[in-house]
């Protein structure tokens, strides 16, 4: 039976990567199958997670390969070899360049911890706390040339609790991400399977 093959790009802890794999194993991704983890940080905790969950991975620092373009070219080959249909950025901390964008435009999404277009870029949670806004949020959007600027697919508001510290807010945002991301991925897989 045909599946929608998913690659996750991540550089950090990987809680969203873990959630996606669990969602698939619980039958919550429809035809989606997480088959590859790609990281630019071979020492990232998410790599151990991939190994422990039995997911193949590609992890090289762009510097090891002579720069971003060479890294993207090699990643593009890895994605092609694994017949990847959908690329999910979950805590991937680099701007995607033309090599990967041209290969996966409209099939590459990013998870961002704010209600876009609010608080783009690094440390969106810290930005929201500093701004003292009453609510922030979580967004999933298509990846484009612009930092956190592609079309929003779905987003959820998260209310700030007065006096809340950063760790608590971050945990609540992660909990919302863990619901939203598998839902969006499943919807995209439902569409992509029809094109196969
Ligand atoms: C998430 O908050 C995501 O929105 C942002 O990076 C974080 C990754 O968390 N882009 P994790 O590594 O999945 O736990």
């Amino acid at each position: 039976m045909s599946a929608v093959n998913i690659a996750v790009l991540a550089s950090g802890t990987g809680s969203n990567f873990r959630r996606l794999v669990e969602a698939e194993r619980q039958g919550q991704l429809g035809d989606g199958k997480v088959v590859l983890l790609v990281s630019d940080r071979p020492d990232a905790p998410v790599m151990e997670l991939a190994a422990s969950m039995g997911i193949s991975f590609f992890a090289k620092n762009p510097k090891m390969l002579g720069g971003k373009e060479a890294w993207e070219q090699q990643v593009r080959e890895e994605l092609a070899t694994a017949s990847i249909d959908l690329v999910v950025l979950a805590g991937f901390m680099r701007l995607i360049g033309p090599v990967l964008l041209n290969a996966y435009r409209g099939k590459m999404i990013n998870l961002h911890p704010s209600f876009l277009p609010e608080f783009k870029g690094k440390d969106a949670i810290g930005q929201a706390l500093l701004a003292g806004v009453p609510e922030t949020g979580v967004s999933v959007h298509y990846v484009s040339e612009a930092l956190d600027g592609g079309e929003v697919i779905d987003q959820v508001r998260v209310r700030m609790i007065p006096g809340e510290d950063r760790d608590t807010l971050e945990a609540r945002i992660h909990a919302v991400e863990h619901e939203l991301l598998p839902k969006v991925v499943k919807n995209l897989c439902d569409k992509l399977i029809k094109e196969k």
Side-chain angles (χ1 to χ4, degrees):
M1 209 186 94
S2 176
V4 177
N5 292 326
I6 300 167
V8 176
L9 267 62
S11 316
T13 314
S15 72
N16 285 283
F17 164 74
R18 179 209 293 267
R19 180 69 197 105
L20 277 181
V21 176
E22 286 171 353
E24 178 209 320
R25 291 176 183 174
Q26 290 161 8
Q28 295 165 357
L29 290 190
D31 294 297
K33 193 164 172 39
V34 181
V35 297
L36 182 66
L37 175 77
V38 173
S39 185
D40 57 335
R41 281 193 46 208
D43 60 339
V46 68
M47 299 310 307
E48 273 178 40
L49 207 49
S52 72
M53 297 185 99
I55 305 290
S56 302
F57 53 82
F58 170 89
K60 284 187 185 164
N61 189 299
K63 278 189 197 145
M64 289 159 62
L65 300 174
K68 174 173 171 168
E69 193 177 334
W71 184 87
E72 286 205 355
Q73 263 155 9
Q74 200 164 335
V75 169
R76 190 176 65 180
E77 281 166 28
E78 296 287 332
L79 298 177
T81 303
S83 302
I84 295 300
D85 303 297
L86 178 65
V87 178
V88 178
L89 275 59
F92 186 71
M93 301 307 287
R94 289 172 190 264
L95 196 59
I96 298 294
V99 173
L100 285 178
L101 253 184
N102 291 339
Y104 280 92
R105 194 181 292 276
K107 293 179 179 175
M108 185 183 287
I109 64 173
N110 180 45
L111 174 67
H112 186 74
S114 81
F115 199 87
L116 289 169
E118 300 166 5
F119 308 122
K120 294 179 178 178
K122 277 190 188 158
D123 193 19
I125 297 173
Q127 290 183 52
L129 276 170
L130 204 63
V133 289
E135 50 186 13
T136 181
V138 168
S139 305
V140 181
H141 65 93
Y142 287 110
V143 176
S144 73
E145 284 81 2
L147 178 67
D148 301 322
E151 184 194 341
V152 171
I153 303 168
D154 203 353
Q155 55 189 171
V156 175
R157 276 289 185 194
V158 176
R159 253 173 217 281
M160 308 293 242
I161 298 171
E164 179 178 38
D165 66 20
R166 191 204 156 94
D167 286 353
T168 318
L169 174 61
E170 196 165 324
R172 288 200 299 118
I173 285 186
H174 273 132
V176 173
E177 291 182 336
H178 296 166
E179 292 293 316
L180 182 66
L181 185 62
K183 190 182 101 181
V184 171
V185 168
K186 182 193 182 292
N187 288 342
L188 290 174
C189 288
D190 288 350
K191 280 187 204 155
L192 290 169
I193 194 75
K194 292 181 188 145
E195 295 170 15
K196 289 198 96 174

